Structure formats: C-alpha cells, structure tokens
Amino acid sequence: MKSDKRTIFLWCIIFILAMLYGASFLGGKKNHRTLLKTAYVNAKNEDKINQIWITKNESTLILQKQAGIWYVVEEKSSNFIPADSKKVQNFINELIKVRNLYKISDRIKAGNAFGFDSPDGVTVKYQTEAAVYPRLYFGSLDFAQISRYFMTEKNTAVYQSDTNLDVYLSSSVQMWSEPFIFSQNLSSIQDARSVQTIKIEAEEKKSILDSSSPDFYDVCSRFMEFRHGGPFSAEKSTENSDEKSDLKLTFSLGNKAQAEFSFYQLEEGLVKVFCKYNFERSASSVSYDLKISSWTYNKIKEIML
C-alpha cells in the first residue's frame, strides 16, 4: 500500500514539474514575440498605387494601372494584357489591412531558416505617382505551417505574420490576368446586349451579324465565355504585320467602341489572337496578343461560321 502511495506521489511530482517546464517555454516565447499591429501598406495609398512588382524564383511580374484599368505583364515583355481587376483590388485590400505581426528577431543571422532567399521567398514592391516604396519580403512558412516570415527593406527586424496574403504571392501572369478573350474591363460592357454588330472575315465566310440575325445575342454570349491561355510570348505584336489572319471578328459596341480579334493558327495546336480595342470617344486604342488552344479556336469557328 505504501509503495502504491509513493508511486502516485512521484507521478504527481513529475506531472507538476513537467507543467512548470512547459509553462516556462510558453512564457519565454511570449516575452520574445513583440506584437505589432500594422498594415503592410498605408491605407492612404490604396487609390494611389499605380504599379506593383511581384518577384518569385527570379521571375518578376508587373501589375500596372493605366487610365484606370489594371494590366499585367512579365518584366522582360511589353505585351501588357488586361488584369483581373477584382483580384488586384482584393490584393491591395489585403496589403492595407491592419494585422498582427510578431517580432521574433532584430536581424537576420547566417544560416537562418526564414527563407527570404529560398524558392518560397517573394518580394513585393509598389509605387504611386509620388514615390516608389520600400520592398516587402515574404519568406517561408514557420514550422507549424500557420504563419509566414516577413520583413521590409527599410528594417532588419523579422516578423511572423498570417498567411492570408499567400494566394496573391504569385508571379504567374495567367493567374493575374482577366481570364476571358473578350475583356470586360476594356470593353466596359457586362453582357451581350451591348453588342450591335459582329463583322466576320474569313476565307470561307464574310458577313455581318446584327440583332436581326438568328440567335445573335446567344452567339455574343457564348463568345464572351471563351477563355485564353495567357499572353502570347512572341517578341513583336501582330499589329501592322503583313501576316494574314485565318479569322477576324470585329464587335461594334453600344458605347461607340470596337473590339477586334484576329486569329492566327500556328504549329502544335497553338492559336495566336491579336486583340485590339478602339475607343472613338477618346480617339485611342489598346492592343495585345493572347494564346488559345486549337480546341477553343474550333469552338469559336463553330458558332461564328
């Protein structure tokens, strides 16, 4: 009996010591994690930001705002294509959101595990008309995979932050681009009812469709649903080229704008699309090249020809 009581007593002592030992670690960690409530970007710059650079794995993507419209391009390219404006705005909303940052180090030491230079590391830079702001560095996830290491160009301190921004830490142009061949951002229309005519130019057919044509608005709606595969990576645009397109579609819109799409069949099932938007009211135009699959191109021909 005495032996049993002694065993129980010893286990109680061991349990209490273990609890105190664990609490000492928690307490120490809390003392070394200074809380800072702040945003990555000052909210006063929300509407002033006109360019954002995102660099990952030595690849840099640029988001640029021109005449109120966001475009996306690879750093070494000049083929700006329309960006997903909602995604860009959500990204900015995350940047200006006040969040908890926990300071874990005053400086980076050799052999650190923060991952700012690793494949997981991402650099974000932004500018307004007034200034280019210090870079934001996002490192790897912590051991528990619930927070990400963070620091800025103007400070040597390292912080732990949440992972809410992770979905936007990509340098993929296709991820940031407006997904549709027919850009709603540039055309400023939301549905097929804003289309007045479609001019079709192909070897096998030359015609003009309008509201009196059978299923006209259905044809417009179906075309507006087709998606592209990202920017075409050729060095030069198709504009002013002597190359003849296999199919050209010209949409006349109710807002006195025109949207032109010239299709060029290439090898290996790839089709290049030269897109051009003409704006009569401002006497300006925007053009760029996209790529689509042969499957998408054949579907477009099915409804147009």
Side-chain angles (χ1 to χ4, degrees):
M1 182 66 70
K2 289 183 179 180
S3 177
D4 291 341
K5 289 182 178 180
R6 184 179 300 170
T7 301
I8 294 173
F9 177 76
L10 288 174
W11 276 112
C12 288
I13 295 297
I14 291 171
F15 176 76
I16 293 171
L17 290 174
M19 292 294 290
L20 291 173
Y21 181 72
S24 68
F25 274 96
L26 293 175
K29 189 174 182 181
K30 183 177 181 181
N31 292 335
H32 287 86
R33 282 166 48 94
T34 305
L35 173 62
L36 175 66
K37 298 184 77 69
T38 187
Y40 297 132
V41 174
N42 195 316
K44 70 179 183 181
N45 289 323
E46 176 183 3
D47 298 325
K48 299 177 183 178
I49 297 174
N50 57 26
Q51 189 154 310
I52 303 171
W53 293 262
I54 303 174
T55 301
K56 184 174 185 179
N57 294 330
E58 300 182 355
S59 173
T60 299
L61 165 146
I62 300 173
L63 296 167
Q64 188 176 98
K65 196 174 187 180
Q66 302 175 17
I69 295 176
W70 282 101
Y71 295 86
V72 59
V73 67
E74 293 177 340
E75 187 178 42
K76 298 179 181 179
S77 172
S78 59
N79 187 24
F80 284 81
I81 67 174
D84 186 328
S85 58
K86 291 183 179 179
K87 188 172 291 184
V88 176
Q89 186 56 54
N90 289 340
F91 179 39
I92 294 175
N93 290 343
E94 277 294 331
L95 289 172
I96 65 173
K97 185 174 72 175
V98 175
R99 59 198 347 112
N100 292 337
L101 298 181
Y102 295 94
K103 183 178 177 182
I104 59 172
S105 177
D106 290 322
R107 64 184 62 86
I108 293 181
K109 299 179 181 179
N112 70 83
F114 301 138
F116 294 112
D117 296 325
S118 73
D120 292 330
V122 179
T123 301
V124 176
K125 183 175 71 171
Y126 68 98
Q127 73 172 28
T128 66
E129 291 185 1
V132 177
Y133 288 82
R135 291 174 175 84
L136 309 174
Y137 299 111
F138 297 89
S140 57
L141 295 173
D142 67 348
F143 180 77
Q145 303 288 296
I146 58 174
S147 63
R148 187 172 292 278
Y149 297 114
F150 166 76
M151 67 180 297
T152 70
E153 185 178 18
K154 66 178 182 179
N155 199 318
T156 60
V158 179
Y159 299 86
Q160 280 183 315
S161 182
D162 58 60
T163 58
N164 294 342
L165 204 69
D166 280 19
V167 67
Y168 305 107
L169 298 181
S170 171
S171 59
S172 165
V173 172
Q174 188 167 354
M175 193 282 280
W176 282 101
S177 66
E178 183 182 5
F180 304 105
I181 299 173
F182 193 106
S183 170
Q184 292 185 359
N185 290 340
L186 286 174
S187 64
S188 299
I189 67 172
Q190 301 301 319
D191 57 58
R193 295 286 169 180
S194 298
V195 179
Q196 295 182 332
T197 64
I198 305 175
K199 183 180 180 181
I200 302 172
E201 299 174 79
E203 288 187 4
E204 60 266 44
K205 181 177 181 180
K206 288 181 173 61
S207 62
I208 295 179
L209 306 180
D210 58 24
S211 58
S212 65
S213 305
D215 303 319
F216 175 71
Y217 292 119
D218 180 60
V219 169
C220 295
S221 295
R222 291 172 65 186
F223 180 79
M224 290 178 179
E225 293 174 354
F226 286 116
R227 295 172 177 253
H228 61 77
F232 186 76
S233 58
E235 293 183 1
K236 295 182 180 180
S237 169
T238 313
E239 188 175 19
N240 301 322
S241 171
D242 293 331
E243 185 181 1
K244 181 175 175 58
S245 62
D246 298 290
L247 171 65
K248 182 176 181 181
L249 305 174
T250 303
F251 291 72
S252 295
L253 310 177
N255 56 9
K256 296 186 177 181
Q258 276 191 339
E260 300 176 5
F261 305 94
S262 300
F263 299 83
Y264 302 83
Q265 284 187 285
L266 306 176
E267 68 284 350
E268 299 179 357
L270 187 65
V271 178
K272 176 172 59 178
V273 187
F274 173 66
C275 308
K276 185 175 183 179
Y277 294 81
N278 301 300
F279 309 104
E280 181 180 329
R281 292 175 180 174
S282 59
S284 62
S285 66
V286 172
S287 61
Y288 51 89
D289 291 316
L290 298 174
K291 63 182 178 182
I292 62 173
S293 65
S294 292
W295 183 90
T296 300
Y297 178 57
N298 289 332
K299 289 295 181 180
I300 290 172
K301 290 198 299 182
E302 282 182 16
I303 66 172
M304 292 294 178
L305 302 178

